[in-house]
Amino acid sequence: MSQTNLTMSNLNFLAWLRKNIFGVLTILLVAIFCYFIVKIYKKPGQMSVLESQAMDMTAMIPPVGAVPVSIASVQKKLIQGSLTYTGTAQAFEDEDIYPRVTGKIVYLKVYPGDRVKKNELIVKLDPQTSEYKANLEEAMYESQAESHNVDIAKNQLKEKEYEYKAALEDEASAQQLLVEAQAGQEYWIPEKQRQKKLYEAEVVSLSEYQLEESYCKAAMAKTLAAQKKFNAAINKRKAAQSAYDSMEHHVNHQYLLAKKAQAKELKAQIYDDYTSIHIKDDAVVTKRLISPGVLVNPGMLILKVAYINKLRIQIEVSEEDSLKIKIGNPVLIKNSASSAKVIKGYVTSIFPAADPNLRTFIVEALIDNVNPDNLTNKHIKTLKDYFFLPGQYVITQIITGESLGLAVPTHSIIYNEGKSMVWQVRSKSNLSALKQYTCLMHPEIILDKPGSCPKCSMQLEAVKSTGPKTAYLVQVKTGLTNPNFTEITSGLNNGDEVITAGFDNLIQGSPVVETEWSNNEPVSLPSPSDVNGSRLSSANNWAFEEIQDDYKIKIFMLPKILKSDNNEIGVIISKLNNEMIPGAKISIDTSMPGMNMSGPRLNGITNIKGEAKMTANLSSGDWQIKLKITLNNHIPLETTLAIEVP
């Protein structure tokens, strides 16, 4: 069934084709005719509708011409490296004023903004009849009484000491008498025994013997009495010593009681002192939370003060810059970019940890904040006495060192993908021995050898000058830097020229002309005579001439009529002695850089007059031509310039 339907469809199509054969052939012939007409008459650089819709407008760049720029020379000079950041002034110390005892505020005369002097009374709690004053007086009297008791005990101790010393002397005297009595006894006892033997032998009489016996008994009685007296002296001495020791203990006890009373007095004094709050150093009142007459308890915040005779200037710097800063580096501080007053401090601290969100480090400088120019009276209360106030933003310049080296203006440095670059100005003289290659899509790529772009793989193009001075983006390495100048450690030589203003829309090889600049704009635009050598235009009658090695090249454009699609490009080659060069092969690549489009390739050979003319038929607009001249026994001559087609 489906095979039958297919056969019927084919028969219907063939029947329709036989019926409309002439219409189909007519449409086909018109399409072929239109294709060849467009192919033949399409102008160079002209886009089809589809091409124009697909064109990347973001690739549009200014046409090549002599751009007015400001130029500076690379010079050797002494550079003081510095880093400029905003910072915040912080008080050297903040203090909350609060009571330590309960009381009613009876004195509070300071307000936010008032200066207070060291040891000045700022808050008074309770009057002179307060319980703290009464407790202090009671403790003072008790301390005095205990001190008096100590004095009495000391006097009593002195008496006991005297008694003890007297007892010692009495004991010594009794001991001496005992010794004397014992000595007499020891004499008379043997003497009595001798007399007894003599009496028994009838040598002495009874009366003589009895007399000796009585002396012996008297000596023994004397010894016994002396012994008793000595024992009594010992007991007396022991009693005196015990009384002395007891009194000494009593004195120590009274002394401890006196110390306790003194501690109680000191405690009462401290509590009484707590009713008067004094400032510990010169400060500024920043906040008052309670008014006079209010009953306050310990810990209730009354005032906030800031000690700002010294200030901490805290600066948040990047991780890379923090490595350049050292303790002791000078810091220049002012309150605005236009301020003429600069305060000098020094880096006193580099915080060892980075902010986890911003990845910045805090660098701190400590400064003396009292302004001697405004401080006419030591007792005045005004914020004008200080350079800065807590919380104020300041502009700081951290000096990182000094170096003698090559330098360029800082604003000529361009940062591209983390690399430092400058637009260098070159002329024919310094390009003769230089051959570099760049990518049209990535002009920051500059290599010394031909090849492919490392970013997009496009074929690199040779960089050549299009006028007396051209601009090239070169990579440099920088050293010390400040807002005015930056040290160049590699990439440039002494005497090289760099562009300091007007490089916003430059591309590799752009011709430039030096002009005076002011306030980020040229004071005056260059005259036609300044840019004649950079392009073919009505200003120079569409003619350009340059010298390479021993050859003189003249390039001109011949508009047959003032129409964009009817023109020629001519080239004349001669030696410096005006000897014409025939047989030179000419090749010209054309393009419209403003639209990122290629044009026709032109070829020619110079005649006996050294001249070659090539039909260009360039459409109206700004064109760029890359000219290559091949000579016998000589490297090819190359140049690039712009053409302004009317």
Side-chain angles (χ1 to χ4, degrees):
M1 183 68 180
S2 47
Q3 182 67 31
T4 303
N5 291 337
L6 182 60
T7 303
M8 292 297 295
S9 298
N10 291 337
L11 292 175
N12 291 336
F13 174 74
L14 292 175
W16 177 87
L17 185 61
R18 284 194 299 269
K19 184 177 180 181
N20 299 284
I21 186 63
F22 292 105
V24 173
L25 291 176
T26 301
I27 294 173
L28 184 60
L29 290 174
V30 170
I32 295 173
F33 176 76
C34 291
Y35 171 79
F36 283 104
I37 290 297
V38 171
K39 193 73 174 177
I40 295 171
Y41 291 99
K42 181 181 177 182
K43 297 178 182 179
Q46 183 177 350
M47 293 179 291
S48 67
V49 175
L50 294 178
E51 289 173 335
S52 64
Q53 292 296 325
M55 184 178 68
D56 183 8
M57 298 303 293
T58 62
M60 297 286 285
I61 56 177
V64 178
V67 181
V69 295
S70 175
I71 297 176
S73 296
V74 180
Q75 296 179 352
K76 197 171 188 178
K77 60 172 55 185
L78 182 65
I79 302 175
Q80 188 179 66
S82 66
L83 302 170
T84 300
Y85 281 94
T86 58
T88 304
Q90 301 285 358
F92 180 73
E93 183 180 354
D94 293 305
E95 184 178 7
D96 293 339
I97 305 299
Y98 55 86
R100 297 189 179 185
V101 294
T102 300
K104 180 180 179 180
I105 298 178
V106 296
Y107 176 87
L108 178 58
K109 294 186 178 180
V110 293
Y111 293 88
D114 285 351
R115 283 189 59 204
V116 287
K117 300 178 298 180
K118 182 178 181 179
N119 297 325
E120 181 179 345
L121 176 66
I122 57 174
V123 179
K124 178 65 180 174
L125 303 179
D126 289 346
Q128 290 293 323
T129 58
S130 69
E131 62 174 317
Y132 300 108
K133 185 66 66 176
N135 291 338
L136 175 60
E137 291 180 355
E138 179 185 358
M140 289 174 59
Y141 294 146
E142 185 177 347
S143 177
Q144 291 174 1
E146 293 298 338
S147 296
H148 181 66
N149 290 336
V150 169
D151 292 337
I152 294 174
K154 285 183 178 180
N155 291 332
Q156 292 175 347
L157 178 63
K158 183 66 69 175
E159 292 177 3
K160 297 302 179 181
E161 182 181 8
Y162 291 149
E163 292 177 359
Y164 175 64
K165 288 182 179 180
L168 286 175
E169 292 178 356
D170 290 345
E171 181 182 6
S173 177
Q175 185 179 15
Q176 183 63 32
L177 292 175
L178 177 60
V179 170
E180 292 176 357
Q182 288 176 343
Q185 179 178 328
E186 290 175 357
Y187 172 77
W188 287 110
I189 289 176
E191 183 66 20
K192 173 187 174 184
Q193 295 296 331
R194 187 178 64 81
Q195 287 292 334
K196 182 178 181 181
K197 289 179 179 182
L198 291 176
Y199 171 71
E200 292 176 352
E202 300 180 352
V203 176
V204 294
S205 62
L206 178 61
S207 58
E208 289 176 336
Y209 168 72
Q210 290 176 344
L211 179 63
E212 290 292 328
E213 187 179 17
S214 63
Y215 286 152
C216 180
K217 289 180 179 180
M220 292 175 65
K222 185 177 181 180
T223 300
L224 181 60
Q227 183 66 51
K228 290 180 179 180
K229 188 175 182 180
F230 177 66
N231 291 338
I234 291 176
N235 292 332
K236 184 178 180 180
R237 186 260 305 166
K238 289 181 178 180
Q241 183 176 4
S242 177
Y244 176 78
D245 292 340
S246 177
M247 185 54 64
E248 188 176 41
H249 178 74
H250 177 67
V251 169
N252 291 334
H253 178 67
Q254 288 298 127
Y255 183 76
L256 293 176
L257 292 177
K259 284 290 185 181
K260 181 179 179 181
Q262 290 174 1
K264 184 177 180 180
E265 178 187 3
L266 179 61
K267 181 179 179 180
Q269 181 68 59
I270 291 173
Y271 274 89
D272 184 63
D273 290 343
Y274 283 161
T275 63
S276 298
I277 302 177
H278 297 77
I279 200 70
K280 68 179 182 180
D281 203 350
D282 294 346
V284 170
V285 178
T286 58
K287 195 170 185 179
R288 194 175 92 169
L289 293 91
I290 296 179
S291 300
V294 176
L295 181 67
V296 294
N297 295 315
M300 290 179 62
L301 186 59
I302 301 175
L303 297 171
K304 284 180 174 287
V305 298
Y307 300 96
I308 60 174
N309 283 356
K310 291 181 180 293
L311 274 188
R312 304 178 189 273
I313 304 298
Q314 294 186 346
I315 312 157
E316 290 189 11
V317 303
S318 66
E319 182 178 358
E320 180 182 359
D321 286 342
S322 68
L323 301 176
K324 305 175 185 177
I325 302 172
K326 298 179 180 179
I327 300 295
N329 283 156
V331 182
L332 306 180
I333 309 158
K334 53 185 180 179
N335 56 20
S336 67
S338 59
S339 175
K341 186 69 174 179
V342 178
I343 310 303
K344 187 175 183 180
Y346 296 90
V347 174
T348 55
S349 177
I350 302 175
F351 287 22
D355 185 293
N357 297 319
L358 302 177
R359 307 299 180 188
T360 57
F361 288 80
I362 293 181
V363 174
E364 186 175 272
L366 189 64
I367 64 169
D368 291 324
N369 194 38
V370 178
N371 187 351
D373 297 336
N374 293 338
L375 192 61
T376 56
N377 186 338
K378 291 184 179 179
H379 303 296
I380 61 176
K381 296 181 178 180
T382 171
L383 297 180
K384 293 182 179 179
D385 297 344
Y386 303 102
F387 293 121
F388 310 110
L389 299 176
Q392 182 177 352
Y393 279 96
V394 295
I395 296 177
T396 65
Q397 186 177 4
I398 306 173
I399 308 301
T400 56
E402 288 186 344
S403 176
L404 180 63
L406 299 179
V408 298
T410 298
H411 54 267
S412 67
I413 304 291
I414 301 172
Y415 297 96
N416 189 351
E417 297 182 356
K419 299 177 181 179
S420 302
M421 311 188 82
V422 297
W423 283 99
Q424 182 184 3
V425 176
R426 300 173 184 164
S427 60
K428 288 295 183 182
S429 59
N430 60 27
L431 281 172
S432 59
L434 184 64
K435 191 72 170 178
Q436 291 185 322
Y437 299 84
T438 186
C439 176
L440 295 178
M441 297 298 294
H442 301 92
E444 71 274 10
I445 301 297
I446 303 175
L447 301 177
D448 295 330
K449 296 180 180 180
S452 300
C453 175
K455 290 188 175 181
C456 64
S457 301
M458 286 183 61
Q459 196 68 19
L460 298 179
E461 297 288 339
V463 176
K464 286 296 292 182
S465 171
T466 62
K469 289 188 176 181
T470 48
Y472 295 91
L473 194 62
V474 298
Q475 184 177 344
V476 296
K477 289 185 178 180
T478 61
L480 296 178
T481 183
N482 60 49
N484 298 320
F485 292 96
T486 296
E487 180 185 15
I488 301 298
T489 58
S490 67
L492 294 174
N493 298 314
N494 192 19
D496 286 349
E497 292 183 323
V498 296
I499 298 176
T500 61
F503 48 68
D504 293 339
N505 295 316
L506 291 180
I507 61 174
Q508 291 287 54
S510 291
V512 294
V513 59
E514 184 175 7
T515 57
E516 182 181 356
W517 279 65
S518 177
N519 297 327
N520 295 323
E521 62 182 17
V523 175
S524 60
L525 294 176
S527 63
S529 60
D530 294 328
V531 298
N532 278 346
S534 63
R535 62 194 288 120
L536 302 181
S537 66
S538 58
N540 56 7
N541 200 24
W542 288 279
F544 168 78
E545 187 174 295
E546 72 172 47
I547 296 175
Q548 291 192 32
D549 297 338
D550 295 333
Y551 295 92
K552 181 167 59 176
I553 305 171
K554 182 177 181 180
I555 305 170
F556 54 91
M557 188 174 182
L558 298 174
K560 296 178 181 178
I561 56 176
L562 291 178
K563 255 190 160 183
S564 63
D565 58 350
N566 195 359
N567 46 61
E568 293 180 335
I569 296 178
V571 179
I572 299 177
I573 306 172
S574 65
K575 289 192 174 182
L576 296 181
N577 59 4
N578 293 325
E579 178 186 347
M580 298 302 175
I581 307 297
K585 296 181 180 179
I586 310 295
S587 64
I588 299 177
D589 290 324
T590 63
S591 64
M592 298 185 77
M595 294 186 178
N596 198 22
M597 290 181 56
S598 300
R601 181 181 179 89
L602 309 178
N603 295 286
I605 299 177
T606 56
N607 57 23
I608 193 170
K609 296 181 180 180
E611 183 180 29
K613 294 181 180 180
M614 291 148 283
T615 300
N617 289 340
L618 301 179
S619 61
S620 177
D622 287 290
W623 288 80
Q624 184 185 74
I625 66 171
K626 294 184 178 182
L627 174 66
K628 181 177 181 180
I629 304 171
T630 304
L631 304 170
N632 292 329
N633 301 323
H634 194 279
I635 60 174
L637 304 178
E638 296 181 3
T639 189
T640 304
L641 71 158
I643 299 178
E644 181 183 322
V645 179

